[in-house]
Amino acid sequence: MYILLVIGGSAVGGLVGGLVARLSGITGPFWCAGVAMVVLTAVVWRGFRRSAFTEAPA
């Protein structure tokens, strides 16, 4: 299942990246990826509390 999602995601990402590049130039996909990584980091950052690393897993 995971490999199917990876391969399918790569195909969809290539198509979307091509459309973004056509609309905004060759650097457009890189800017979109950078913004997506900043948003992802901001969303996931809340899970990185000190308690998440100091407590023993149950």
Side-chain angles (χ1 to χ4, degrees), residues 24-43:
S24 63
I26 195 68
T27 60
F30 295 103
W31 281 106
C32 288
V35 169
M37 290 304 298
V38 168
V39 169
L40 180 66
T41 301
V43 169

